[in-house]
Amino acid sequence: MSHHQFSDVVTDAELKRWGVFTTLDVRNHQQEHLAHQGSQEFMKEMAAVLGSNIQWKACSQKDGHLMALSVPECLPDRLGLISGITDMTFLQDGLSTPLRCTKGSADEAIDIFENTTETQRQNGTLEGSEEFQSVLEQKGLPKDALGMFPQLKKQFLEYLTSRDPNLASWMSQEVKRVATAPPRDQMNYNTIDSYMEERLRDVAMKWYYELCAYGMDLELNETEKKQASRPARAMEKAIIYTNDFYSWAKEKAEQATVAAGKDMFNAVAILMKEHQIPEADALDMVREKTLECEKEHWAAVADLEAAGPLSPNLIRYLDMTRLCHSGGMLWSAFTDRYNKVGQPQVDDSLKTRETLSMPSDEYTSVHQGTSLAPPNGSLSKNEHSPHTNGVRFQNPSSSNGDANPPMERVHLPNGEAATSEVDGKEGDRSGHKDEVGPAHGSVGAHQRPGTDVVLAPYEYVISMPCKKVREILIDGLNKWLRLPEKSLDLIRNIVVMLHTAALMLDDIEDDSNLRRGMPSAHVVYGESQTINSASYVQIRAFTEAARLSSPDAIPILCEELQNLYTGQSLDLFWKFHIHCPSEKEYLEMVDGKTGGLFRLILRLMQAESPVLNQARDHGPELENFVTALGRYFQVRDDYQNLASSEYAQQKGFCEDLDEGKLSLPLIHSLQNSSEDEKTRIKGIFKTRGPVGLSPEVKQYVIKHLSEKTASLTYVRGRLQELESELANGLMALEELFGIENRSLGGLLAKLKV
């Protein structure tokens, strides 16, 4: 079960809005206001020393608080304390970093921080250069803030002592330890590897983890510390890359002011120099390295789990390192500390968390607007936490952030659903192109036809409202399998394409004129064009599968599509010959026809998962779950088609009877009817016309199913059995993975009849 007590998940919609690209969950403390209060207490201490007109601020931002996001599982009574301490270290960093750049001597910096006298401050001997004073003013600090720092530090430590003496003693030692770090201009960082090794030796990072662990009242023994070192180190690197990514514009601006001519201590600069690449490419490389660190972390965790069960303390600690990184990334995206220099940190060339492989919906950049809520209002704030400031989080009672996820238009990769291109030029929506290149009839460059026409039936179907069962299943399985975002988006694309193409073909094969309450695609576009569109989209699904990292992706896709079509062939065969299969044969057909796509989702995700040991070790349990889900989904559809008035509005009254489909209620009824009754029912299906059955004949069949053979009651009982099987299977998987899965729990609740 979940070990998260004090936090809620930040919605994917909000992460997308801010351009956050981590593959990890981001959480926010339910009592965020306590973090803001802690920062306000520190500001009071600052004002008492530096004056009341200071504009400086760090952790506390209008859109959220760093410590509420980075340590969302902090004990509420410690959240304010660690917030104030972090503000203090931000101030020290703000003073010491430019000082080191200008002075070039660690000893001088230490002497200033530890031994400044009031006389020196009044004489102005410690104010530094005009450039340095300019930086202080940019930070909202007085010019002589450097000289005032020892007094501020002393006063703040006295404040901490009154709250927690042991913490104050530890803080005093750590402030000095961080301040005595070697000067950066003496470090060797000609390559990204040497730079990262130097950054990992930075005492500040280790200090930060210790502070976060204090906030959670979490202490590891020596064995646990050794176990945590490798996965924690991966997250340290991710934090460093994230910091460099978002602080790049700010540091570049400060470089021009304070330390012109000196190398910048930032991964972006190192990569530009090492690989001789432009700034945009280096930023993109830092982003990719961040994601590689996340994958490295999960691989290290998987190795630990393979060696034996992890202690509860170690599980909490590793979770803490992930949340420090992911929460820090969201904060970095909106904080004034990095984003007030007027240069966006995330632009259109840097793909976001939600849509790495296909065009994203329009969203506001990091520097536009003041609210995190998207324009359409689909992002809901938890009404039960009135103290939450700025950052919205996902209601724990909902599935995937919303009980009924909003319809989302899905496009093929590269924007093909929106435009058609020939040699990079747009044509009109008819699919015809302006004349470009060689004249008609001449030999020259091949001109590809536009895709607007071939995609029109597909686009029409995906515009229809849907339950998004498969999308929710992907998100739910990813809670355990932890795929890189690129792989996750490719699989989402593949599944949407294949599912939609299957619906288009099913409606033709079943003579179904309604799909989700709207005319089926072949009714609007014709059967030939619809078949052609479905075939094109299936081919594009293979193109997407080829972009996955696993060499097993294409074989998996081929195998499960064969299962799907084989299952569909049995369904069509039974309908054409009015052959009644056994329930066992029917469920085997369902395992291919409906379960094939569910199994495809699982197998592709297993192949791409960095959590290899868990993905393989728990493979049978996962496969049993998705197979049961496929059976439940199909049997539920059979039942609803004949028993649900809402379903009748979407598909028509008892449409399965119009199609002559041998669904489970009809199979049960035929198996439990007399020979005369079987003859009458089969006769009805043999004589049905092209428009199906009349309402009166349908009522006759439904009455037989309900009263004569109690088949609807029987199928309802089978659904309840499958519901129980799924609930038990989900509970077992949550125990195996050690992670509660609210997405899948919400999906089961949503489907329950």
Side-chain angles (χ1 to χ4, degrees), residues 400-654:
N400 203 31
D402 203 340
N404 293 293
M407 182 182 70
E408 186 172 345
R409 186 172 175 82
V410 182
H411 295 266
L412 287 175
N414 305 320
E416 293 185 41
T419 63
S420 53
E421 298 181 1
V422 174
D423 298 329
K425 296 188 178 183
E426 293 188 5
D428 62 31
R429 294 294 295 175
S430 69
H432 298 292
K433 299 295 168 183
D434 297 330
E435 292 186 15
V436 292
H440 292 293
S442 64
V443 178
H446 169 63
Q447 298 185 39
R448 292 181 301 163
T451 58
D452 284 1
V453 172
V454 73
L455 285 174
Y458 170 81
E459 287 283 315
Y460 172 71
V461 176
I462 65 172
S463 72
M464 298 175 180
C466 63
K467 295 185 287 291
K468 287 188 170 291
V469 169
R470 291 153 191 84
E471 289 87 337
I472 298 173
L473 175 61
I474 291 171
D475 291 340
L477 290 174
N478 197 50
K479 296 292 183 183
W480 296 323
L481 301 181
R482 306 158 185 167
L483 268 64
E485 195 66 24
K486 180 179 179 181
S487 298
L488 199 63
D489 283 328
L490 285 170
I491 292 172
R492 287 192 184 109
N493 271 352
I494 292 165
V495 171
V496 169
M497 291 178 197
L498 293 178
H499 177 54
T500 307
L503 295 180
M504 295 159 68
L505 296 175
D506 280 352
D507 286 345
I508 295 172
E509 294 166 346
D510 295 338
D511 298 318
S512 178
N513 292 329
L514 279 179
R515 166 65 58 185
R516 299 165 185 164
M518 297 171 64
S520 298
H522 67 277
V523 174
V524 177
Y525 294 95
E527 290 186 2
S528 299
Q529 179 65 6
T530 301
I531 292 170
N532 191 62
S533 180
S535 302
Y536 175 82
V537 170
Q538 287 180 325
I539 293 169
R540 288 310 307 266
F542 276 89
T543 305
E544 290 292 271
R547 296 171 60 195
L548 291 168
S549 60
S550 173
D552 296 329
I554 296 294
I556 289 171
L557 184 57
C558 291
E559 184 177 337
E560 292 301 344
L561 279 181
Q562 289 178 49
N563 290 333
L564 190 152
Y565 279 107
T566 302
Q568 175 74 345
S569 71
L570 290 173
D571 197 22
L572 296 172
F573 177 86
W574 296 334
K575 181 176 73 171
F576 182 79
H577 293 283
I578 315 180
H579 169 74
C580 181
S582 67
E583 182 173 332
K584 181 176 181 294
E585 290 173 327
Y586 177 78
L587 291 176
E588 288 173 352
M589 179 276 293
V590 169
D591 290 345
K593 175 185 174 180
T594 309
L597 194 53
F598 287 163
R599 210 163 38 248
L600 173 68
I601 290 170
L602 172 63
R603 294 180 64 190
L604 288 179
M605 292 183 72
Q606 286 175 313
E608 294 290 299
S609 174
V611 194
L612 296 178
N613 292 317
Q614 280 195 335
R616 290 171 181 166
D617 292 347
H618 306 328
E621 292 86 356
L622 286 165
E623 185 170 347
N624 289 340
F625 179 82
V626 298
T627 299
L629 182 62
R631 290 185 175 188
Y632 180 78
F633 192 76
Q634 184 60 62
V635 174
R636 176 186 184 275
D637 187 76
D638 290 352
Y639 177 82
Q640 294 283 80
N641 192 284
L642 302 180
S644 169
S645 57
E646 179 183 351
Y647 204 96
Q649 293 176 353
Q650 298 292 317
K651 294 283 288 180
F653 174 56
C654 298

Side-chain angles (χ1 to χ4, degrees), residues 9-29:
V9 177
V10 178
T11 63
D12 282 345
E14 184 172 345
L15 300 181
K16 176 186 174 183
R17 175 179 173 79
W18 290 100
V20 172
F21 54 83
T22 179
T23 62
L24 307 176
D25 278 347
V26 181
R27 303 185 73 90
N28 191 42
H29 205 289

Side-chain angles (χ1 to χ4, degrees), residues 22 199 211 251 411 692 697 728 739:
T22 179
R199 285 294 301 268
L211 180 66
E251 292 182 24
H411 295 266
V697 174
N728 291 334
I739 299 173

Side-chain angles (χ1 to χ4, degrees), residues 239-255:
I239 290 172
I240 291 166
Y241 280 127
T242 297
N243 175 268
D244 287 0
F245 180 86
Y246 285 100
S247 67
W248 167 249
K250 170 205 169 192
E251 292 182 24
K252 190 169 65 170
E254 287 187 355
Q255 175 80 1

Side-chain angles (χ1 to χ4, degrees), residues 738-750:
I739 299 173
E740 183 182 11
N741 202 316
R742 288 179 177 170
S743 293
L744 292 183
L747 175 60
L748 297 185
K750 181 179 180 179

